[in-house]
Amino acid sequence: MIRSTACLILALASVVAHGQTWQAASARVEITPKDFIWMAGYGGRNEPAQGKLTPIWAKALALRDANQKTAVLITLDLVGIHRDTSEKICSQIREKHGLERDQIAINCSHTHTGPVVGQNLAGLHYYLLPPEQQQAIDAYETSLVKDIVAIVDSAITNLQPSHLTWGNGHCTVAVNRRENVQSDVPELRNQGLLKGPSDHDVPVLLVRDATQNLTTIVFGYACHATTLSINEWSGDYPGFAQMELEQRYPNANAMFWAGCGADQNPLPRRTVELAESYGERLAGAVTEVVEGFVRPVAPKLTTHFAEIDLPLVDVPSLEAMQDLRGSTSNKYEQGRIDYLLSRLGDDKQIQTTYPYAVQAWGLGDDIRFVFLGGEVVVDYALRLKATATEAPDDQPSMIWVAGYSNDVMAYIPSRRVLNEGGYEGGGSNVYYGLPGLWSETIENTIANKVAGWIAKP
C-alpha cells in the first residue's frame, strides 16, 4: 500500500513538473419525479409509482486535457433515453458550451425502478398509456433535459486542476440469464457450475483535486439493474453502490455506467435486501481500487462519434402495418404500430435501417472508453477487449465498453445470440418499436467501426 501510493505520487509529480494537468469537475442533481408517473422497464405494471425507496440522480463529469479539449460524461439513474431526448440534451450543451456530439457521452444505469422518459420503450409504455400519463411523461422529459444541462453548466464552470487515475476491480454479481435457470443459480454458484459468458471487470476512474482530495469516482459494471420490481423509485443495485461509495468518500460524487449487461442479471433477485447487498459488493470492488494500486492518466483526450445505419430484416410495408393496426389483439404490437406510424418521414415509409450511435474516447495513453447504444449483450465487450491491442498480462484491461449509451433503442444481440433467438435475439424488438429484426451483419459492423478508434497508436 505504501509502495503503490509512493509510485503514484512520483508519477503524478512527473506529469505536473512538465506543466501538464487535467482540469475536472463533477456535479449532480436529483431527478426523482415530483409526481407519481409511470415507471419504465416492465410491462406488467398496472399503475404509476407509489412511493420512493431512494432518490435517483443525474450526474456529470467535465474533463479538459492539456490542449484545452473538453468532454462531458453524463450518467443517469434511468432505464434508458430515446435518441430524441439525447439530441435535445446535446443541442443545448452545444449551444451553451460549443461542445460537439463526440464530446458528450450519456449513459443510463438501466434501473427498472425509474420513470418512463419520452419515447424510450414506446411500444411498451407511452402509446399504451392514457393521455394524462403521456402528458406527465412529456413534462418530466422537459424537466430532465433542463436539469441535465444545468449540471453540465456547473461542472464546466467549476473546472479545476485535477489528477486522474484508473484501475480495474472485480465483482461476480452478474449471471448469464440465457444460460442459467434463476432458481438453480444459488446451487450452481456454490458448485462453480454457472454457465455462459459474463464480464466481471469493474473499471474505475478516479478524479482528485490538486491537493489529492478525491472528488469523483466513475465506475462501471455489466449487469441488468433488475433486482427490484417494486412500484417505488430507486436506482436498484447501482444506486445503492453509488450511495455506499458516497458514504465512504463523502466529498466525492460516485457515477455508475452500465456495461454490456443485456444478457446478465443479478441473481437471485426481487428483494430490497438483495439490491442493497449487490450494491455493497460492487462498492467493495470499487473501494479496493481506490485504496489499492492505481495508474495515472496523462492529460490527453480524444473523442469520436458516429451514427451508422444498421439494417433491419423482415420489415413490413406501411400498408401491411396499417392493416395489422386494426386487427391485432396484442397490445404491445398495437403500441409498436402507433409509435411507428407517429414517426413516418416525408416518404411515408417504414424505415429499414436504424441510425445507431457508437462513440469512443481515449483517456491518456491507456484507456479506450467505448459507448454503444442500446441494450448490448456481453459478447461485444469480450470481443472488443480480446481483439484490441492489450496491456501486459499483469495489467488490467484498458478497454472499457459501456452499453445503454446515448440512445437505448433496442437490444443489440451478437450474431451468436441473434441466431439463437429468444428475448435478446429479437423477441424484445416489439417493445422498443423496431419494425423488424436486426440483420446478422450488425455485430461485425459495430465492432469494425469501433476497432479503428481503440487501436493503439
Side-chain angles (χ1 to χ4, degrees):
M1 177 66 180
I2 295 174
R3 180 183 176 186
S4 63
T5 302
C7 291
L8 172 62
I9 292 173
L10 288 173
L12 293 175
S14 175
V15 171
V16 173
H18 288 83
Q20 298 178 327
T21 185
W22 287 96
Q23 295 181 66
S26 60
R28 65 178 182 174
V29 62
E30 184 177 346
I31 56 172
T32 314
K34 296 179 175 62
D35 301 316
F36 289 135
I37 63 176
W38 215 263
M39 304 183 77
Y42 297 123
R45 291 186 171 113
N46 57 14
E47 61 183 1
Q50 300 297 304
K52 180 173 79 171
L53 177 63
T54 69
I56 59 174
W57 298 88
K59 300 174 183 177
L61 170 65
L63 297 172
R64 183 169 291 162
D65 71 4
N67 294 316
Q68 301 302 299
K69 180 164 187 172
T70 303
V72 175
L73 172 65
I74 299 164
T75 61
L76 306 172
D77 293 338
L78 296 172
V79 77
I81 58 173
H82 191 275
R83 181 171 180 260
D84 292 354
T85 308
S86 185
E87 288 182 345
K88 291 172 185 176
I89 294 166
C90 293
S91 64
Q92 293 190 30
I93 295 173
R94 182 187 301 113
E95 183 178 345
K96 288 192 172 188
H97 299 287
L99 300 188
E100 297 302 327
R101 188 61 191 84
D102 56 295
Q103 297 170 269
I104 307 164
I106 308 171
N107 182 270
C108 298
S109 72
H110 201 53
T111 175
H112 283 46
T113 43
V116 175
V117 181
Q119 299 289 295
N120 178 249
L121 276 166
L124 183 66
H125 299 309
Y126 190 89
Y127 289 92
L128 303 181
L129 297 175
E132 61 271 18
Q133 277 295 324
Q134 294 179 350
Q135 292 165 9
I137 290 167
D138 291 340
Y140 177 77
E141 183 195 33
T142 299
S143 174
L144 174 71
V145 171
K146 180 180 178 181
D147 286 342
I148 292 171
V149 173
I151 59 169
V152 171
D153 289 345
S154 176
I156 292 177
T157 300
N158 291 293
L159 284 166
Q160 60 177 322
S162 300
H163 304 294
L164 270 60
T165 55
W166 71 282
N168 266 13
H170 185 78
C171 182
T172 58
V173 165
V175 176
N176 190 301
R177 71 185 191 185
R178 293 174 59 88
E179 302 288 340
N180 301 278
V181 177
Q182 179 170 326
S183 60
D184 296 340
V185 164
E187 184 61 27
L188 291 172
R189 191 190 295 275
N190 288 337
Q191 296 179 11
L193 297 176
L194 288 172
K195 300 177 182 178
S198 293
D199 180 5
H200 295 311
D201 283 348
V202 183
V204 180
L205 179 71
L206 304 174
V207 181
R208 291 180 169 86
D209 65 18
T211 57
Q212 293 300 312
N213 293 311
L214 186 61
T215 60
T216 309
I217 305 168
V218 180
F219 65 105
Y221 190 57
C223 183
H224 252 84
T226 52
T227 320
L228 299 175
S229 56
I230 57 177
N231 272 29
E232 299 177 49
W233 307 123
S234 88
D236 205 280
Y237 81 85
F240 284 113
Q242 292 171 85
M243 291 166 58
E244 178 67 23
L245 288 167
E246 288 170 353
Q247 288 179 355
R248 297 180 185 185
Y249 305 100
N251 295 320
N253 284 323
M255 301 174 59
F256 171 85
W257 55 267
C260 298
D263 52 351
Q264 312 291 309
N265 268 359
L267 298 176
R269 53 183 183 158
R270 302 305 189 197
T271 71
V272 173
E273 290 75 19
L274 283 169
E276 292 175 332
S277 173
Y278 296 150
E280 289 177 1
R281 285 170 60 181
L282 182 54
V286 176
T287 300
E288 289 186 3
V289 176
V290 177
E291 302 298 334
F293 184 88
V294 289
R295 294 167 171 81
V297 182
K300 181 171 64 175
L301 177 66
T302 59
T303 59
H304 307 274
F305 179 90
E307 287 187 334
I308 52 179
D309 289 331
L310 293 187
L312 296 158
V313 298
D314 299 327
V315 176
S317 66
L318 176 60
E319 292 75 16
M321 188 75 70
Q322 290 171 328
D323 290 343
L324 183 60
R325 186 182 193 188
S327 61
T328 181
S329 60
N330 184 320
K331 67 177 183 178
Y332 301 118
E333 186 66 60
Q334 183 66 58
R336 169 163 72 168
I337 293 169
D338 289 345
Y339 168 72
L340 289 169
L341 294 181
S342 75
R343 301 184 71 83
L344 293 175
D346 293 338
D347 60 0
K348 301 298 181 183
Q349 296 298 313
I350 303 297
Q351 297 302 304
T352 59
T353 63
Y354 190 91
Y356 179 75
V358 290
Q359 185 172 19
W361 289 356
L363 299 176
D365 297 315
D366 295 334
I367 300 168
R368 298 298 181 264
F369 199 166
V370 178
F371 303 90
L372 301 178
E375 299 199 47
V376 188
V377 299
V378 73
D379 292 354
Y380 283 82
L382 299 180
R383 172 174 174 168
L384 290 171
K385 290 179 183 182
T387 58
T389 303
E390 282 283 5
D393 291 339
D394 62 346
Q395 185 168 317
S397 174
M398 299 181 294
I399 309 300
W400 300 357
V401 190
Y404 305 95
S405 298
N406 298 308
D407 175 15
V408 184
M409 80 304 290
Y411 275 80
I412 305 298
S414 61
R415 184 169 183 169
R416 173 185 68 84
V417 171
L418 186 63
N419 289 335
E420 290 174 357
Y423 186 75
E424 298 89 353
S428 58
N429 282 16
V430 63
Y431 305 117
Y432 275 103
L434 284 191
L437 299 180
W438 293 114
S439 163
E440 65 179 18
T441 64
I442 69 167
E443 179 185 343
N444 282 341
T445 300
I446 294 168
N448 291 340
K449 182 65 176 180
V450 172
W453 291 342
I454 64 177
K456 287 296 178 185

